[in-house]
Amino acid sequence: MTDNILEIRDLAVQFKTDFGVTRALNGISFELPRGKVTAVVGESGSGKSVTANAIMRLINPPGKIASGNLIFSPDGGTPFDIIALKETDPRLVQIRGDLISMVFQEPMTALSPVYSVGNQVAEAILCHRHITKQQAWREAAEMLVRVGIDDISRRIHQYPFEFSGGMRQRVVIAMALVCNPELLICDEPTTALDVTIQAEILTLILNLQQELNNSVLFITHDLGVVAQTADQVIVMYQGRVLEIGSVRQILKAPLHPYTRGLLAAIPALAKKGQRLETIASVVGDEDIETPYPLTRLKDGRQISLSPQALERIINE
Amino acid sequence: MRAYIARRIFGMLPTLALISIIIFVVIQLPPGDIVTSTLDRLQAEGVEVSNDQIQNLRAQYNLDQPMVFQYLHWIGGFVVGDMGYSYLYSRPVNELVWERLGYTLLITVSALIFTWAIAIPAGIYSAVRQYSIGDYLLTTVMLFGLATPSFLLALIVMYIGYEWFGITIGGLFSPEYRDVPWSLDRVSDFLGHLWIPMVVVGLSGTASTMRILRANLLDELNKPYVVTARAKGVRPIKLLIKYPLRIAINPFISTIGLLLPVLISGEAIVSIVLGLPTTGPALIQALINQDMYLAGSFLMLLAILTVIGMLLSDLLLAWSDPRIRYE
């Protein structure tokens, strides 16, 4: 058994549009270590969400996975390639919700308005296990209590629009965790929430991750969230991976000029009144715009830079 | 909920009272009345009518009384369930209306089922396979259907039936069964005739229903809740029906109530072409001949069915959509 729950190899995703083919992912590669939290950061359009959707095979036409492998190694099972699965393969159903599950960005729209939350959480169980409806509802209720929904005997029969945004996101998290997946993907789970609620939801996800000991892929553009949650950080830009390293390496000592720009763009109280840094300087910057392959440095981090720039860094 | 329904029904009363006055006035507005139109007919046939006879006729129909009295006479009877007497058919209006309403109900409901049986699968298909050959094909066929007036379709069906199969298609019964009591044979004869108006009336609504469902479903198909459900492992067919379709179908549930007024007014032209004993042609005849009691009663029923239909629509929508139920 490998230490990685998921290995992404040369994953490329394209979207066919009227104006030609958009390459959303240009052959990205990285690993997700088992039982750890990996954060993917990058600006809008860098391919973070597409990566998440590709892992669960949720890319719809006009988009398609053009090439690559997604080697998933279930705990104690034989590894298999998610991309090679046929639409009818029972393992694909397992991938969706049982082995891997996802918490989405928009809690306001991620639940159907016409079914009670109990119905929607219990359904996640019933899709994967042959148990009675009553049993599924019982387990759904237990999970909902665990994510912090009070007054469960009443709340479980209520509809999503009777919940606040934060509460809905708790329901979505319950729905994602109720089958105890080995890999949990969180696609910007706090972005649509109030700042005060963001911290609560974040703590909730991290606590549950510790309890259930599942691996987490955490997609965000909030570097504050990264600092709190991640073990490993992946920096993406324009459908490519620019830098991979431990949270300490990336946040304390970023090497790639883009990562530095990203960190410098964080507003801080110390810089109050000054102009915010922009990362506009990277556009046209050859180091960032040219797709160089990832090179592994001595300290374990990987970086995509031109040979000259690499040499400069190694010599420093 | 009960209080809400009671409030709604109570609120209908002033609306209906107002409508009844308007109906009465509007029917009386054109010059002449049932007596003059009867006289015209008689004179055209060369029958001489004396002034005394005219006065008698007027008195018989209460036409010599003041308008207010005539109105109260009509509406007073209507309220207690006596819709008056049809001069045109020389029969009580009650008899005429209920008989025709029954047939109209049958045709309307079977046509609706026919429409949905075709339009809903077609709509789902062309939404799920948007821009496929099948989508374009269905759309083209449906647009032909939309562009063909129902009465023309009725004529074409009648022509084909007569020319190719040698059967006359008009009416709801074969001549030999028209005026005999109900029997098993009469029922099967009736069903044999029912499908023509069902198809002709049903097809007219198919295209729009299909296009609306297609548009609704396309709106829903890519909603985040569909992706969420897919991500938790719901199988494709169940996913489609339980999530996007369930919401895309809502507007249609609410239109069921609006079908009630169609029972009176709908498809008059088709009914005339096909010679169907439904309410539409009778209403037109009554209006042309200024048959006050028949026309007024039809229009009043139309108004009542419309407001009840509205209420029914709201209740159905509340039943099907919790978002509305809880507001």
Side-chain angles (χ1 to χ4, degrees), chain A residues 14 87 133 309:
Chain A
Q14 302 176 344
E87 250 335 292
K133 243 185 187 159

PDB file of all heavy atoms in Angstrom, chain A residues 14 87 133 309:
ATOM      1  N   GLN A  14      -9.945  19.819 -20.913  1.00  0.00           N
ATOM      2  CA  GLN A  14     -10.191  20.853 -21.921  1.00  0.00           C
ATOM      3  C   GLN A  14     -11.677  21.178 -21.985  1.00  0.00           C
ATOM      4  O   GLN A  14     -12.509  20.310 -21.754  1.00  0.00           O
ATOM      5  CB  GLN A  14      -9.749  20.350 -23.296  1.00  0.00           C
ATOM      6  CG  GLN A  14      -8.297  19.954 -23.351  1.00  0.00           C
ATOM      7  CD  GLN A  14      -7.944  19.364 -24.695  1.00  0.00           C
ATOM      8  OE1 GLN A  14      -8.816  18.981 -25.466  1.00  0.00           O
ATOM      9  NE2 GLN A  14      -6.656  19.308 -24.981  1.00  0.00           N
ATOM     10  N   GLU A  87     -18.500   4.607 -17.405  1.00  0.00           N
ATOM     11  CA  GLU A  87     -19.637   5.255 -16.734  1.00  0.00           C
ATOM     12  C   GLU A  87     -20.460   4.237 -15.935  1.00  0.00           C
ATOM     13  O   GLU A  87     -21.121   4.568 -14.973  1.00  0.00           O
ATOM     14  CB  GLU A  87     -20.552   5.938 -17.753  1.00  0.00           C
ATOM     15  CG  GLU A  87     -20.618   7.465 -17.830  1.00  0.00           C
ATOM     16  CD  GLU A  87     -20.274   8.300 -16.610  1.00  0.00           C
ATOM     17  OE1 GLU A  87     -21.054   8.235 -15.638  1.00  0.00           O
ATOM     18  OE2 GLU A  87     -19.285   9.046 -16.608  1.00  0.00           O
ATOM     19  N   LYS A 133     -34.637   2.548   5.169  1.00  0.00           N
ATOM     20  CA  LYS A 133     -34.786   3.994   5.199  1.00  0.00           C
ATOM     21  C   LYS A 133     -34.680   4.533   6.621  1.00  0.00           C
ATOM     22  O   LYS A 133     -34.023   5.541   6.866  1.00  0.00           O
ATOM     23  CB  LYS A 133     -36.150   4.366   4.605  1.00  0.00           C
ATOM     24  CG  LYS A 133     -36.032   5.208   3.353  1.00  0.00           C
ATOM     25  CD  LYS A 133     -37.385   5.640   2.883  1.00  0.00           C
ATOM     26  CE  LYS A 133     -37.250   6.337   1.532  1.00  0.00           C
ATOM     27  NZ  LYS A 133     -38.467   6.353   0.780  1.00  0.00           N
ATOM     28  N   ALA A 309      16.688  30.243 -13.635  1.00  0.00           N
ATOM     29  CA  ALA A 309      16.136  30.671 -12.364  1.00  0.00           C
ATOM     30  C   ALA A 309      16.364  29.599 -11.303  1.00  0.00           C
ATOM     31  O   ALA A 309      16.660  29.909 -10.142  1.00  0.00           O
ATOM     32  CB  ALA A 309      14.649  30.957 -12.503  1.00  0.00           C
TER      33      ALA A 309
END
